[in-house]
Amino acid sequence: MLNPLERLAQSAYHWNTRPLDAETDWAARRALLDWFATTLPGCNQAPATLLSEAFSSTRGKGGAVCYVDGHLGSPRYAALLNATASHTVEFDDIFKDGGYHPGSSTVAAALAVAQDIQATREQLHRAIIGGYEVGCRIALAIQPSHYRFWHTSATVGTVGAAVATAMLLGATSVQIGHAIGLASSFAGGHQQNLQGEGMAKPMHAGHAADAGVMAGMAAAKGVTASLDSLHASNGFAAATSDSTGNWGAALEGLDAWTPITRMTVKNHGCCGHIFPALDGLKALQASAPVTADSIESIHIEGYGATYSMCNRPTPSTAQEARFSIQYCIAAYLVLGKVRLQAFEPPMLEDARIRALMPKVSVSECADIAARYPRQRMANVIVTTVDGNTHQHLQETRKGDPEDPMTDAELFEKYHELASDLLSPVARHALQEVVISSNELPGSVEFFNS
């Protein structure tokens, strides 16, 4: 077998010069706008606001924009805070086959470095594409067993950020390989801080971006690592999954298709394992009289993570509610959607939602579990107060490659999520820069418009 680290590094390096077709370039623009959509609402929330105070003395000098406070600083500082903000409200993109959110850390790192060195827009796009390429394929090699104890967005996200950084800094293929090796040692983030209480989960993405920038910068200046770091018997895959990696599956189609063109854009502001149930309930409502007032019970049959991560009958915080299928189903029935409003304090205590939550139950279905992670499905069974039962098997999620979010739907999501931080003028100006121009996104008075 070819060394997977070296093969991935070569692929990333070639993204510096290979033809950039319209589909892939547009996918990079969509990923960048979606990153702003999920980052901006997290900029005025903890933990990003607390980190801004805690680390203000380490801002350093540089041209990277920290969107949390609107000031310039070093790439590592901006990447840390921006990526933390980006992973706060649970709207960041997903590579579903690898169970991985690449955008928060990879885009945060790439944009901060690009702004600092005044890279071209094309260089930024190529670095994001290369970072997604390597990170998503590593996720394919180590999943699903990696997820038992590790948070992929924290671990693999470090590698994606490192690759994007190294590419922007002109690293050779070998140096990109060393960046991957270094990042594999810096990676961290375990499941208890993903599923438990506290603010550590958003910082998983922040640390991944920061550590990735460090690894990429170091490698570009000649710092080396073991080039067997990914597949060796005591390397990254072996240490964090149940094998030394399924590299055949991970490298399949390399140079024929690239992951950024197969991303999931999140349509709901909660854990992605809840999405099939929400989409299934919406589909059921289109054909049956299912309303908040008509519910006797709702049972969700899903795959393993639907139950193990999302069976939270009594969430007490917004973070817990985003991972509670009981809360999210009830909030959807009351509000008609599960976005930012659903997790604001008044809604967390809303009597209508709280009354519906005990009526929602969840279990694992063997047939549905067998098709995970390639398919994320849910069987929604609703019994209404008149004694009738309605059932719908949801085989896709809105936003997945099989049912993609249109450009218009992505723009609508961006404007809704960014509305608390940016004025309408500023939102349209930023969208224009990201979607239609070849300028590098910066501050451009967004915070003062």
Side-chain angles (χ1 to χ4, degrees):
M1 179 185 73
L2 292 176
N3 184 322
L5 182 150
E6 293 178 343
R7 186 68 187 88
L8 289 168
Q10 290 166 2
S11 180
Y13 178 74
H14 289 154
W15 272 114
N16 286 318
T17 56
R18 73 179 62 176
L20 191 58
D21 62 81
E23 178 192 10
T24 306
D25 185 67
W26 187 248
R29 289 181 182 272
R30 280 175 56 99
L32 184 56
L33 186 69
D34 194 44
W35 181 84
F36 275 109
T38 190
T39 299
L40 293 174
C43 285
N44 57 8
Q45 296 187 31
T49 50
L50 301 176
L51 297 182
S52 179
E53 297 178 11
F55 299 144
S56 60
S57 63
T58 68
R59 178 189 303 279
K61 296 181 179 179
V65 180
C66 176
Y67 293 98
V68 176
D69 56 25
H71 297 304
L72 300 179
S74 69
R76 286 186 59 187
Y77 180 89
L80 168 65
L81 269 69
N82 291 341
T84 298
S86 185
H87 200 54
T88 297
V89 298
E90 295 293 337
F91 265 109
D92 40 338
D93 60 10
I94 308 169
F95 181 61
K96 71 176 179 64
D97 291 351
Y100 168 49
H101 299 271
S104 288
S105 55
T106 303
V107 175
L111 183 58
V113 173
Q115 290 169 336
D116 188 59
I117 66 172
Q118 297 184 332
T120 67
R121 182 62 178 273
E122 182 177 328
Q123 288 173 316
L124 172 64
H125 285 189
R126 290 178 177 276
I128 292 172
I129 294 164
Y132 274 53
E133 182 83 63
V134 175
C136 291
R137 291 186 179 277
I138 291 174
L140 284 175
I142 60 177
Q143 288 283 59
S145 62
H146 181 84
Y147 210 64
R148 282 202 305 270
F149 298 105
W150 300 97
H151 182 196
T152 328
S153 304
T155 53
V156 181
T158 310
V159 181
V163 169
T165 297
M167 289 175 64
L168 282 163
L169 296 178
T172 65
S173 175
V174 173
Q175 288 173 327
I176 293 173
H178 287 301
I180 295 171
L182 291 171
S184 73
S185 275
F186 299 163
H190 56 73
Q191 278 286 329
Q192 181 56 33
N193 270 329
L194 167 63
Q195 299 185 38
E197 297 180 2
M199 302 179 187
K201 183 178 183 289
M203 289 184 66
H204 282 184
H207 170 73
D210 177 21
V213 171
M214 178 170 63
M217 285 181 163
K221 287 296 185 181
V223 177
T224 61
S226 169
L227 296 180
D228 294 327
S229 291
L230 293 183
H231 73 292
S233 61
N234 55 353
F236 176 73
T240 64
S241 70
D242 61 8
S243 72
T244 56
N246 186 0
W247 297 106
L251 300 177
E252 183 181 357
L254 189 66
D255 301 327
W257 65 273
T258 190
I260 203 169
T261 63
R262 300 186 181 184
M263 297 305 300
T264 294
V265 176
K266 292 184 80 170
N267 190 41
H268 311 292
C270 58
C271 176
H273 299 309
I274 301 174
F275 286 15
L278 292 172
D279 292 339
L281 183 57
K282 180 180 180 180
L284 197 58
Q285 286 182 314
S287 60
V290 175
T291 65
D293 295 332
S294 71
I295 301 297
E296 178 66 29
S297 67
I298 299 179
H299 184 69
I300 309 298
E301 296 179 335
Y303 46 91
T306 316
Y307 180 82
S308 64
M309 291 188 66
C310 304
N311 182 29
R312 304 190 186 198
T314 56
S316 59
T317 67
Q319 177 68 6
E320 290 177 330
R322 291 185 177 103
F323 283 80
S324 167
I325 199 165
Q326 289 87 354
Y327 180 86
C328 291
I329 290 291
Y332 177 82
L333 286 166
V334 171
L335 296 172
K337 58 183 178 179
V338 181
R339 289 203 166 169
L340 295 179
Q341 182 190 2
F343 305 100
E344 293 175 353
M347 300 314 302
L348 292 174
E349 302 299 328
D350 189 278
R352 297 167 298 170
I353 294 176
R354 291 289 166 176
L356 283 167
M357 288 169 58
K359 300 179 180 182
V360 182
S361 59
V362 58
S363 65
E364 180 178 352
C365 172
D367 291 342
I368 291 175
R371 298 166 74 173
Y372 173 83
R374 296 283 178 164
Q375 276 188 276
R376 312 293 179 96
M377 302 168 58
N379 190 35
V380 182
I381 305 165
V382 176
T383 301
T384 51
V385 292
D386 59 9
N388 290 317
T389 298
H390 309 276
Q391 181 267 338
H392 174 78
L393 177 64
Q394 183 68 24
E395 299 188 43
T396 61
R397 302 184 303 183
K398 178 63 178 178
D400 276 347
E402 298 81 7
D403 187 11
M405 188 176 285
T406 67
D407 292 340
E409 289 170 333
L410 172 60
F411 298 161
E412 185 273 331
K413 170 189 170 180
Y414 158 74
H415 281 283
E416 178 180 339
L417 268 61
S419 61
D420 283 349
L421 197 69
L422 301 183
S423 70
V425 171
R427 293 199 306 272
H428 284 285
L430 178 56
Q431 178 181 317
E432 179 69 18
V433 168
V434 172
I435 292 298
S436 303
S437 83
N438 288 319
E439 300 173 27
L440 198 65
S443 56
V444 292
E445 291 88 35
F446 294 145
F447 290 86
N448 299 314
S449 299

